[in-house]
Amino acid sequence: MADGTDTASKIVSLRELAALVPDGASVALGGSFLHRGPFAFVRELIRQRRIGLEIVKQSPGYDLDVLCRAGAVAKAYTGIVAMEGNFGLAPWYRRAVERKEIELEENACYSLTSRLRAAAYGVPFQPVAGLHGSDIPALNGWKEIPDPYGSGRSVWVVPALSPDFAVLHAPEVSEHGDVRILGTPHWDRIMSRAAKRVLVVAERIAPMESFREHPEKTLVPHFMVEAVAVQPQGAWPGSCHPDYAIDYPAVEHYMSEAESTLQAHLERAPELRGSSRD
Amino acid sequence: MTEPLKTQPLKTEPWSPFSYIVTNLARFVEPGDVAFSGVNSSMAMLACLLAKRAYDFPFTYINVAGGVDPEPRYAPLSSSDPELARESASIFANEDFYDLCARGRMDLCFLGAAQIDAQGRTNVSVIGDWHEPKVRLPGGGGAAVMLPTARRSCTWRTEHSTRTLVDRLDFITGGGGMYGVVTPIAVLVKRDGRLRLDSWHPDVTVDEVVDRTGFELDTSGAAPTRPPTEAERAALASLDPDGTFERDAKIRG
């Protein structure tokens, strides 16, 4: 079921959902910093000992950091990486880059968005505003081209980037996989259009009727979604608007340097309570 | 150069470095602006909220949580918290505000920086060589695109030193250049392509500001910074009622 056109139920367990992503896959992760990220999914990738992942996200934090801490990452395409919420830099990501354990493609958030836009728009590259005077384009071998219509301006162009997967966390889905985001979609929309396959973790299934009543609130229609896992508190220790806020004590615990912290943190996760993971 | 003015003893209470930065960032907001604060930017978020509460002119505050003139019940620790979209009549999401900036319609953009040079260019990428990093910093983020395209960009540093205000950046993340920079001891504003001293904290001298700046600093026409007004003080107190932001910022003057 590589596409989502079958309207039979797409609901699978979190374990099955994560198992769809093989070692070495490129994965765009939804949300931003500590907000509405597919964090239960990320932890499940770690439990399944995934390695060699390429992570694509304009503003990752905890998700990229915990994946680096577990040794699951080969490469990151990022705009800005930090824990936020006054926790500062993402320490395990930072170390992984400094020790060259992972490869980094440093972007502006907007250049990475433009790379995803090229993929979403079906073109090989995308012009992107700004970037003039920055060392970033040369770092990545990007090209600057003259306006072919003769304005005399030049523009940087960035190549298309189509991740193997976009994985989003949403408060609500329909049983067929329609995805409803409440509040800001962050970068989720362009990720869902650029990626080859879309997987979703949701807090709950909402009635089909509520989607028909407000179709404009649906960010991703079901036919684009391959599979969905229902996982309450799945964005922990981050927030999922409007259901819950950041669990700051849990993030503080995660930041502890102790060797045993990662395991303890993974064991405290909500997806291990109840049977939803399976 | 004339001898700097001797510090005038203030009649009011001392002006903390934290309050100095937030208040002077807020003062960059002009009537009618579309002003933006982003991720990882508590000081900028507080400045925009302070300007809304303390100033009687209209401007539009947009932020990375999608909020457009929101009415948050409190200032959240995360400057991208959904609280910053509370009571907003629209969600103006990431692609929207970046596109707005890209087409030249963002009046005031607050962006973080680790190093700043005399032209106001910034490094938020790396300390040391990019390929042999001593410290890997957060990265390109908004700077590389917003700094050259916003009408005015402003930043803050919680440390005013030759490590932060540098003659030569380790890496140029954002070209274009900052219009304004606020540190715990000074406000710098760009004129004729270079950052110059606009005003200094009344508790320090001009010489100290010059000594602690890594690039040559023109101080002509500068004056001590106006003390905070009652409205500014009250607004900041209401945004940080128990001093959490001030404590977490750990700023020394």
Side-chain angles (χ1 to χ4, degrees):
Chain A
M1 50 179 216
D3 68 43
T5 48
D6 182 355
T7 54
S9 177
K10 291 171 184 163
I11 311 301
V12 300
S13 69
L14 182 64
R15 195 182 294 229
E16 290 166 328
L17 195 74
L20 294 171
V21 174
D23 286 346
S26 61
V27 186
L29 297 172
S32 177
F33 282 130
L34 283 166
H35 303 291
R36 210 173 42 67
F39 297 160
F41 182 91
V42 160
R43 288 186 292 270
E44 187 58 28
L45 290 177
I46 294 171
R47 291 188 194 97
Q48 297 186 13
R49 303 190 185 287
R50 209 64 79 245
I51 55 166
L53 298 174
E54 298 195 353
I55 301 301
V56 179
K57 184 166 177 173
Q58 288 89 334
S59 45
Y62 162 82
D63 39 11
L64 180 55
D65 198 69
V66 71
L67 286 165
C68 286
R69 195 171 184 171
V73 181
K75 182 168 183 180
Y77 301 76
T78 63
I80 177 171
V81 189
M83 295 300 293
E84 222 203 19
N86 295 356
F87 288 108
L89 298 171
W92 280 272
Y93 159 78
R94 178 190 152 182
R95 253 168 268 169
V97 176
E98 289 170 5
R99 294 173 184 168
K100 302 180 186 176
E101 290 161 2
I102 71 167
E103 191 185 338
L104 169 65
E105 181 184 292
E106 179 172 347
N107 274 264
C109 295
Y110 200 57
S111 66
L112 187 52
T113 302
S114 298
R115 295 200 61 188
L116 296 172
R117 281 180 174 176
Y121 299 168
V123 292
F125 63 86
Q126 176 70 26
V128 46
L131 293 179
H132 298 286
S134 170
D135 286 340
I136 289 177
L139 199 61
N140 296 321
W142 294 338
K143 312 290 185 205
E144 190 177 16
I145 61 171
D147 175 0
Y149 294 100
S151 72
R153 292 170 60 195
S154 68
V155 63
W156 287 98
V157 292
V158 293
L161 176 64
S162 175
D164 297 329
F165 294 89
V167 184
L168 312 179
H169 185 90
E172 294 177 335
V173 290
S174 77
E175 60 186 306
H176 300 313
D178 301 289
V179 181
R180 181 154 59 209
I181 303 288
L182 302 168
T184 178
H186 300 292
W187 305 104
D188 291 18
R189 187 180 182 283
I190 195 65
M191 285 178 176
S192 72
R193 271 60 173 172
K196 298 179 182 76
R197 301 162 72 179
V198 179
L199 310 179
V200 179
V201 182
E203 293 291 319
R204 61 187 162 273
I205 298 172
M208 207 51 228
E209 195 45 49
S210 71
F211 282 83
R212 294 196 179 107
E213 218 166 285
H214 286 289
E216 72 281 359
K217 288 185 182 169
T218 300
L219 188 77
V220 190
H222 63 80
F223 74 89
M224 292 172 62
V225 175
E226 180 175 328
V228 179
V230 176
Q231 179 54 64
Q233 303 285 311
W236 177 90
S239 80
C240 182
H241 181 74
D243 296 305
Y244 48 92
I246 295 170
D247 182 348
Y248 282 103
V251 181
E252 201 165 347
H253 170 264
Y254 168 79
M255 295 294 279
S256 155
E257 291 277 344
E259 193 75 37
S260 59
T261 299
L262 178 59
Q263 196 52 38
H265 172 75
L266 292 173
E267 284 168 11
R268 285 171 63 175
E271 63 270 18
L272 296 191
R273 281 178 241 132
S275 57
S276 51
R277 178 176 163 232
D278 301 309
Chain B
M1 201 183 85
T2 52
E3 191 65 19
L5 292 175
K6 178 135 178 49
T7 300
Q8 299 292 320
L10 285 174
K11 284 186 285 261
T12 48
E13 54 193 293
W15 197 358
S16 77
F18 171 77
S19 165
Y20 184 84
I21 293 175
V22 175
T23 305
N24 282 295
L25 283 175
R27 289 173 177 177
F28 279 111
V29 180
E30 292 177 8
D33 272 354
V34 175
F36 169 80
S37 76
V39 292
N40 215 24
S41 300
S42 302
M43 302 283 221
M45 167 194 73
L46 291 169
C48 291
L49 294 172
L50 185 157
K52 275 284 175 193
R53 292 181 185 196
Y55 306 147
D56 56 10
F57 57 78
F59 73 98
T60 302
Y61 171 41
I62 63 176
N63 61 53
V64 69
V68 179
D69 289 334
E71 290 174 26
R73 295 163 301 177
Y74 57 90
L77 284 181
S78 156
S79 69
S80 53
D81 198 279
E83 185 65 23
L84 290 171
R86 183 172 292 273
E87 302 293 329
S88 180
S90 57
I91 292 293
F92 199 66
N94 299 41
E95 289 187 67
D96 286 317
F97 60 71
Y98 269 102
D99 290 341
L100 181 82
C101 194
R103 61 182 181 262
R105 302 294 288 268
M106 183 94 81
D107 295 301
L108 176 60
C109 188
F110 289 106
L111 294 164
Q115 293 178 326
I116 304 151
D117 75 3
Q119 296 176 52
R121 300 181 301 179
T122 64
N123 171 20
V124 271
S125 297
V126 66
I127 300 300
D129 183 88
W130 194 94
H131 297 279
E132 301 289 336
K134 273 190 224 136
V135 184
R136 177 64 224 172
L137 296 170
V145 162
M146 292 176 127
L147 200 44
T149 54
R151 289 185 175 162
R152 303 187 322 279
S153 298
C154 293
T155 193
W156 62 98
R157 280 303 340 214
T158 56
E159 175 185 314
H160 189 128
S161 76
T162 54
R163 300 194 312 165
T164 57
L165 297 161
V166 301
D167 193 41
R168 194 184 163 80
L169 300 168
D170 288 3
F171 182 87
I172 303 169
T173 312
M178 289 289 171
Y179 170 75
V181 179
V182 183
T183 75
I185 57 168
V187 178
L188 312 185
V189 172
K190 196 185 224 180
R191 212 169 58 228
D192 302 328
R194 269 186 80 90
L195 290 171
R196 294 156 200 269
L197 184 65
D198 185 70
S199 72
W200 66 88
H201 192 298
D203 288 353
V204 302
T205 64
V206 171
D207 284 348
E208 181 178 346
V209 177
V210 169
D211 286 347
R212 286 167 63 177
T213 304
F215 52 82
E216 206 181 310
L217 192 62
D218 181 354
T219 64
S220 57
T225 312
R226 281 180 292 119
T229 64
E230 263 320 300
E232 288 169 336
R233 275 193 195 278
L236 185 54
S238 73
L239 292 165
D240 192 20
D242 56 6
T244 301
F245 283 100
E246 178 141 19
R247 264 195 312 281
D248 285 358
K250 297 187 196 86
I251 311 169
R252 287 164 306 164

